Every structure is written in structure tokens, then in C-alpha cells.
Amino acid sequence: MRKIFILTLLIVLCNHTFGQNTISQFGTSASGADSNRYDRNGNPIDTTAVNDASTIPIGLYSWKVDERLGNITETPIDTITHAFQNTNDTGGPTGHYTYLGNLGAPRISHVFFERKSASQEFFTDPYDFTVKGVSDVVYTNTKSPFTNLTYYKQGDGRYGEERFKAYFAVNVNKRLGFGFDIDYTYGRGKYANQSTALFNGNLFAYYQGDKYNMYFNFINDNLKVAENGGLSDDRYVTHPLDMNEGKKSYNTYDMPTNLSDIWNHNTGYHAFLTQRYNLGFYEDVQEENDTISKKVFVPVTSFIHTIKIDHNRRKYISYDDAQNQDYFLNNYLGTDSTDVTQYLSIKNTVGISLREGFNKWAKAGLTAFATFEHRRFTLTDTVPGQPEARMPIDYKENVLSVGGQLIKEQGRMLHYNVLGEIALVGEDIGQFTIEGKGDLNFRLFNDTVRLDANAYIKNEQPIFYFRHFHSKHYWWDNNDLSKIMRTRVQGKLTIDRWKTQLSAGVENIKNYTYLDNASVIATEATETTPATYKNNVVVRQQSDNIQVFSATLKQDFKLGILHLDNEVTYQKSSDNNVLPLPELVLYHNLYLEFALAKKVLNIEMGADVRYFTQYYAPDYAPAIGQFYVQNPETRYKLGGYPLVNGYINLHLKRTRIFVQMYNLIQGTGEKSYFLAPHYPLNPRILKLGISWNFFD
């Protein structure tokens, strides 16, 4: 942790230095979105009040950038106290994810409509808890340098878990700003051979001029995860008294696991630059309560260029050949301890945009664009004439696609965004996407009701690693995979006054492509021992249509200082052998919320519960670092276990603190606390977290 504390000190010193220079440069007047003005303590302020040294209008606002066309979307500042205790839960803030128990471990949502399609960056897809994409980077414009430092701690030093996050943003002037974001997660693991060491960092910069806009970021990922294959016998958790071997108790880190000395190591480098040149005119604008007008540039037409470069390297490390021979069906690389695959993508997009409201024949915004992508994959391959020899081979793909976007953002009542794209040349020829979303806002019983709708039709080429993959234990070349046809329709109703949100949707999938368990029996079962299997994974397609229906109700209640937040999701898969899903996923949070010390100290205290009904939860394949369906010969259902956590949240000016007791009712239920087969959650454990915001 020495490096973490040194880094923290440097950030604070940097923040202090910029703070002295920048405040004198900009003065104390606020700027930016009215809804995002905060005082030095991160609290919303009345900008009409007299300013003094303790209430400087920071003028802080943040946004994210779309990676295709560089469109920006405002995002809230991270000063929220509510549910702070859940911001470091790998299972998600409301428990929607299946994961392997340890902090930062691979995960997959058991709520289908929250799952993302497999990407070309296949091996880092399960790490979206920490890994950021281009569209996840937060840019911040601030009059005073802004720093956030967050530290999480759970368990003891030897087997505990820690996470350190730092965010820094500063403006050089009103148009130019930059910053960085660091996220270091280290989970030693309560069980043997399951440690995680995840580093993610990004640098960002932007320029927001009248005629020229630019957004840049550079992301680095370095993920090293130990693989233990799960417990060799679940009874160490489900029936511990049968396994104690004369001991009074059995420590979690003494429970035997299937594998040891195996790691998946992923490194990634991602550079992104989007820029646009605007044509338009200046007009005089007079703000409210201001007698002096000023000239404001109004863009009419924009020329867009975006370039995105991704490089990923995945290395699988396995030293024990005898263990490999016993556990895996195939060992294609012999005694070689490592196998490596790499991915490089260079994508350029150019476009022209007619801005909303300035064209008689297109009142909405209209954009046309073209994209060219070069992809290169490096795999271990065979050598002709030398059956035992292996060497790296490059697979190259080029794709040219064109598309358009129709968008309406102005006005209060109706907004929509429709986008279409089709691949004309290259490996993905014939692939297309048509997707749209919109919202309708209207008054009902003195409140605003919002109706959101989104839909898409996608005809997708299966990703490269579904078509080709060569490694130490798995090897396939699927040249006959069909394109995946997906159709989804989804709607959502929101009534803020009633604290109600209801959403529902349906999706149809043809040629659903997935990883299947092809393990082969090694020893037959006897009266005293179960059958054993040698592990294998293959890619399969389900040619029949699969339908998924999902509906979610969020309803919160309040009575004085007593709050009850509820979320209920019902979903149904038409094929539970290929796409198993729990029918019910529940989250409930009962807590008291009040303030002390003249409302300076805000407190939340209560307990929440996560629950899903039993289903054939996806298994995990350690040699590829991905989730796949269970072996039909040995599959069993998981779920039906209420994960209960008690907590206290404190918010004092710029500081947020939580104390949480995790897994309060550890050990109850038939299957106890498993989310994935043979991978138990952490037992009862104390978690702590603290976050500071600095605005000067």
C-alpha cells in the first residue's frame, strides 16, 4: 500500500498547486449547468446568495462522449451519499451479477437485458466492474481543480481486499481541460488461489471551442487473476460439519480447490480522439437577470472525425503439467506453460452533421458517416508438415461500413435518436444495425410523467474468438457460423412524484451463439464416489429462435425518516438449457435517513437484501476466463439464498464514509452462498469505505 499513499500525496499536492492558480484566474462566479453548482464541500448552493470564502460556486459539470460520433451526454457529479456502501460490490449496486466471490472477479449479469453482447475485446468483457470503455470516461469542466479520492477495505490484511480510486480534473482556461482517473483493485481472496490484481487508468483532455471541439482519452488496463477452478467439494460450505476432519472449524483458505498455479493476464491499451469543426453564426443572447447581452456561437453544420485504437494481449499461464493432464481433456501446447493471443483494431470514422433546427427539409439533426476498421488477431497455430510444431499466425480483417443518424434533442416534450449502419465490404459484409430510442414527457396530476422506448434490429457477425481460437486447452475454427439476428422492443414508465419506475421488454434471438460445456467423462461413478470429467469448451449456435421476456418494477416508499426501496425483476427464457435465467431477481433496502449537527452530518443506516430464484447458473471456464453453460450431466441449480448486508452511511461536508457487515446470515439455505457453481461468496466480513471530494 506504500505506492498508494505516495500517489495520494502527489495528487493532493498537485490539487493544491492548481487550486492556488486557478481560483485567482477564474474568480468566484459560477458557470456551466445550473443543476451542477456546488460549494467547497460538494453541496448544492444557492447561486443568488452572497459569495464568501466557504461558498464558492464551483461551476462543476461532467459529461461522457459517444465513441462513434463524439456526441456528449451530461452525467451527474459523484457526490451522492445514498447507497454509497454498494459502490464497491462486484455483484452490482442491487445484486444483479453472478461472480466468483472475490473483489473484481469475472462477472455476468443474471438480468438478461443488462448483458452486453460479446465484443472483440472478448477476454476483458467479464471485468466491466473495473474496466472502462471510451464511453465510460467522465470529462469534467471545473472552475476550481476537482479531486476525488476513494478507498475501500474489507477483511484482514492477509486475506482481505482493497481498492483505491483517484479522479482529478482541472481547467487550463474556460475551453481547455484535462485530468486522469486511477482504479487499483487488489483482492487477496478468502479462498485459495483466487487473488485479483486489477489496474485501470485513463488520461483525458478536451477543448470546447466555438468552431472546433476535441475530446481525447488514453486507457490502460492490466488485469492479473489467479484461477482456482472452484472448490473441489461444495460440502466445505454447504455441510461443513461433514468435512471438518476432527477440527472445530475449517478456514476458507484451507478449503481445497480444483486448480493452482494458473493465471489469466490481460493487458490493454486504448487511444481515442474525436474532433469536429463547426460552421455556424453568432447571435446576441441576454441571460435572465442580466442587462448585457453577449454573442454566442450557434453551430449549423459539423464535420466529424473519430479515430479509436485498441490493443489487447491475453496470456494464460499454467505451470503444473500433471494437473493440466488430469483436469483438461486437451493439452494442445504440450508442456509449454503459456499461451498468448493478441488483438489490434484501428477504426476511423468520418461524418457530416446537419444540426437540429436549421434545415427546412430536416428539422431534426441529421448525420451521415462512414467507418473503416482494420483488425488483426494473433493466435498460436500449427506449422504445415510439422504436426507437433506451433507458431504465432496473424488473422487480418477489414470492414467498411456506412450509416446515418436522425436525432431530436431540443424541446421538452419529445426526443428521439435513430441510428442505422451496414457493413458494405469486408469480413462483416451484410452485418447491419437499426436502433432507436426516444422519450415522451407530459404532465399528469401536477407531475411530469416520462415514457421511454428503445428498440433495435441487429444482424451481427459472431466475434472473431467465436469463429477462431487456439490455446493450450481449447481449439476451434468455426467457419460456418451464421449471423446472429436480434430483435428487441422495450419501454419504461417513470413517475418521479410516486417514486415509481416500470419497464418491460421482449427480445427474439436467432442463431444465439454461446460457449457450451463439452466435458468428457473420465471415471465412472461408484457407490461411494461421483463420476469425474475432463474439462472442455466449444462454441455452439442455437438455430431455433429464443425469446426472452423481462419486466422490472422499482417502487420506493417513505414515511418520515423511514425508507423502503424495492426492485423486482421478472424474466422468462424460452430455452433454459441454452440460455438459463432466474425468473425472479429481487432487491430491497430498508433504512433510516436523518441529519444531525444542524443538518451538517447526514446518516443512513439499515440493511438490504439481494435474492434470485434457483436456476442453472452459468459455470466458469478458468482456462478461457469466460462463463459458459453447465455440464448437462452434472448441472444443478443455484439461488434461493438471501444475501443480507447491514450498513451505516455517513456524509459530512466533503467526506462520505460507510461501514458494512456483509453476508449477515452466512450459511443458511440448501446451496448456501454460491452464485456460480463451486465458487462461494465471501463469508461474513466487515467492509469499510471512505471518499473525499476536494474543490480547492
Side-chain angles (χ1 to χ4, degrees), residues 82 498-500 554-558 564-567:
H82 178 58
W498 298 351
K499 298 182 179 180
T500 301
K554 296 181 181 180
Q555 180 64 67
D556 299 341
F557 300 98
K558 177 183 177 183
L564 177 62
D565 298 345
N566 305 277
E567 180 180 294

Side-chain angles (χ1 to χ4, degrees), residues 217-276:
N217 65 64
F218 177 79
I219 301 173
N220 173 231
D221 310 314
N222 195 328
L223 319 173
K224 189 172 183 179
V225 177
E227 305 284 3
N228 66 10
L231 297 182
S232 60
D233 194 325
D234 290 357
R235 290 179 297 169
Y236 285 105
V237 171
T238 60
H239 300 87
L241 296 180
D242 297 341
M243 310 297 291
N244 63 8
E245 299 177 1
K247 300 179 182 179
K248 291 183 179 180
S249 62
Y250 213 105
N251 293 320
T252 56
Y253 42 82
D254 291 329
M255 297 177 183
T257 58
N258 287 308
L259 299 172
S260 62
D261 296 324
I262 290 180
W263 295 267
N264 274 302
H265 189 188
N266 290 279
T267 55
Y269 302 93
H270 314 276
F272 170 80
L273 172 68
T274 183
Q275 53 189 339
R276 64 173 60 199

Side-chain angles (χ1 to χ4, degrees), residues 457-609:
I457 301 175
K458 298 181 179 181
N459 189 39
E460 300 175 323
Q461 171 85 327
I463 63 168
F464 175 85
Y465 288 112
F466 281 159
R467 291 177 278 127
H468 303 282
F469 183 59
H470 306 159
S471 68
K472 187 175 181 65
H473 304 299
Y474 311 135
W475 196 293
W476 57 73
D477 289 287
N478 300 312
N479 297 311
D480 58 349
L481 292 180
S482 301
K483 286 185 171 61
I484 307 164
M485 177 64 77
R486 304 183 62 173
T487 306
R488 175 184 292 189
V489 178
Q490 189 174 16
K492 181 171 66 175
L493 169 68
T494 303
I495 306 176
D496 291 332
R497 186 177 182 180
W498 298 351
K499 298 182 179 180
T500 301
Q501 187 179 101
L502 175 64
S503 60
V506 63
E507 176 161 346
N508 184 84
I509 311 171
K510 183 175 178 56
N511 297 323
Y512 176 67
T513 307
Y514 63 102
L515 296 175
D516 195 10
N517 192 318
S519 298
V520 174
I521 192 166
T523 61
E524 298 287 346
T526 67
E527 293 183 358
T528 57
T529 61
T532 62
Y533 291 80
K534 288 199 172 185
N535 179 265
N536 192 28
V537 174
V538 297
V539 174
R540 300 195 195 279
Q541 278 194 327
Q542 174 59 278
S543 59
D544 294 335
N545 290 321
I546 298 177
Q547 291 84 33
V548 177
F549 171 79
S550 178
T552 298
L553 173 64
K554 296 181 181 180
Q555 180 64 67
D556 299 341
F557 300 98
K558 177 183 177 183
L559 180 62
I561 64 172
L562 180 65
H563 295 252
L564 177 62
D565 298 345
N566 305 277
E567 180 180 294
V568 178
T569 296
Y570 171 80
Q571 56 186 3
K572 187 71 173 179
S573 169
S574 65
D575 191 339
N576 279 304
N577 293 319
V578 172
L579 182 54
L581 298 170
E583 289 195 1
L584 280 178
V585 180
L586 309 178
Y587 174 77
H588 304 285
N589 183 16
L590 180 65
Y591 60 98
L592 301 175
E593 183 179 30
F594 54 93
L596 298 176
K598 297 182 179 180
K599 298 185 178 181
V600 174
L601 175 63
N602 297 306
I603 300 174
E604 283 185 358
M605 56 188 303
D608 62 12
V609 57

Side-chain angles (χ1 to χ4, degrees), residues 34-97:
D34 289 344
S35 60
N36 287 329
R37 297 181 180 180
Y38 298 86
D39 65 17
R40 286 174 176 265
N41 299 321
N43 300 313
I45 63 172
D46 179 6
T47 55
T48 63
V50 177
N51 295 328
D52 57 36
S54 64
T55 59
I56 296 178
I58 301 301
L60 183 72
Y61 66 98
S62 297
W63 66 93
K64 296 180 180 180
V65 175
D66 167 57
E67 69 176 59
R68 178 185 275 111
L69 298 172
N71 297 322
I72 66 173
T73 304
E74 287 195 29
T75 187
I77 308 298
D78 183 21
T79 56
I80 298 174
T81 305
H82 178 58
F84 177 49
Q85 80 282 357
N86 292 335
T87 56
N88 195 44
D89 193 325
T90 310
T94 56
H96 284 185
Y97 287 84

Side-chain angles (χ1 to χ4, degrees), residues 322-356:
Q323 173 184 253
N324 293 335
Q325 294 289 339
D326 183 60
Y327 186 84
F328 296 101
L329 177 63
N330 300 304
N331 289 272
Y332 296 106
L333 302 183
T335 58
D336 189 351
S337 64
T338 63
D339 70 66
V340 178
T341 180
Q342 298 189 66
Y343 160 65
L344 172 68
S345 169
I346 302 174
K347 180 187 290 187
N348 274 281
T349 300
V350 293
I352 181 171
S353 176
L354 306 179
R355 306 296 283 268
E356 181 178 351

Side-chain angles (χ1 to χ4, degrees), residues 306-514:
T306 296
I307 182 170
K308 182 171 180 281
I309 302 174
D310 298 298
H311 179 263
N312 285 85
R313 182 175 185 268
R314 179 259 184 183
K315 179 164 67 172
Y316 172 74
I317 306 168
S318 177
Y319 292 116
D320 191 335
D321 187 60
Q323 173 184 253
N324 293 335
Q325 294 289 339
D326 183 60
Y327 186 84
F328 296 101
L329 177 63
N330 300 304
N331 289 272
Y332 296 106
L333 302 183
T335 58
D336 189 351
S337 64
T338 63
D339 70 66
V340 178
T341 180
Q342 298 189 66
Y343 160 65
L344 172 68
S345 169
I346 302 174
K347 180 187 290 187
N348 274 281
T349 300
V350 293
I352 181 171
S353 176
L354 306 179
R355 306 296 283 268
E356 181 178 351
F358 294 101
N359 295 277
K360 294 181 180 180
W361 52 276
K363 293 297 184 181
L366 182 63
T367 302
F369 61 90
T371 298
F372 179 78
E373 181 181 13
H374 170 74
R375 302 192 294 249
R376 187 184 72 203
F377 302 86
T378 303
L379 294 177
T380 299
D381 213 333
T382 56
V383 179
Q386 303 179 48
E388 301 299 324
R390 301 288 186 268
M391 65 179 296
I393 298 292
D394 288 342
Y395 293 73
K396 297 179 181 179
E397 299 181 348
N398 298 288
V399 179
L400 174 65
S401 60
V402 297
Q405 182 184 47
L406 186 66
I407 186 169
K408 182 182 184 300
E409 296 177 312
Q410 298 177 7
R412 295 183 178 181
M413 184 175 180
L414 175 66
H415 312 95
Y416 56 82
N417 184 346
V418 181
L419 185 143
E421 184 176 16
I422 184 170
L424 300 178
V425 178
E427 186 68 28
D428 298 343
I429 185 171
Q431 173 176 286
F432 68 83
T433 298
I434 303 173
E435 54 186 335
K437 60 182 179 180
D439 63 82
L440 177 66
N441 303 270
F442 57 92
R443 301 290 295 178
L444 178 67
F445 304 123
N446 296 321
D447 191 22
T448 298
V449 176
R450 179 185 177 99
L451 288 173
D452 292 270
N454 65 77
Y456 61 63
I457 301 175
K458 298 181 179 181
N459 189 39
E460 300 175 323
Q461 171 85 327
I463 63 168
F464 175 85
Y465 288 112
F466 281 159
R467 291 177 278 127
H468 303 282
F469 183 59
H470 306 159
S471 68
K472 187 175 181 65
H473 304 299
Y474 311 135
W475 196 293
W476 57 73
D477 289 287
N478 300 312
N479 297 311
D480 58 349
L481 292 180
S482 301
K483 286 185 171 61
I484 307 164
M485 177 64 77
R486 304 183 62 173
T487 306
R488 175 184 292 189
V489 178
Q490 189 174 16
K492 181 171 66 175
L493 169 68
T494 303
I495 306 176
D496 291 332
R497 186 177 182 180
W498 298 351
K499 298 182 179 180
T500 301
Q501 187 179 101
L502 175 64
S503 60
V506 63
E507 176 161 346
N508 184 84
I509 311 171
K510 183 175 178 56
N511 297 323
Y512 176 67
T513 307
Y514 63 102

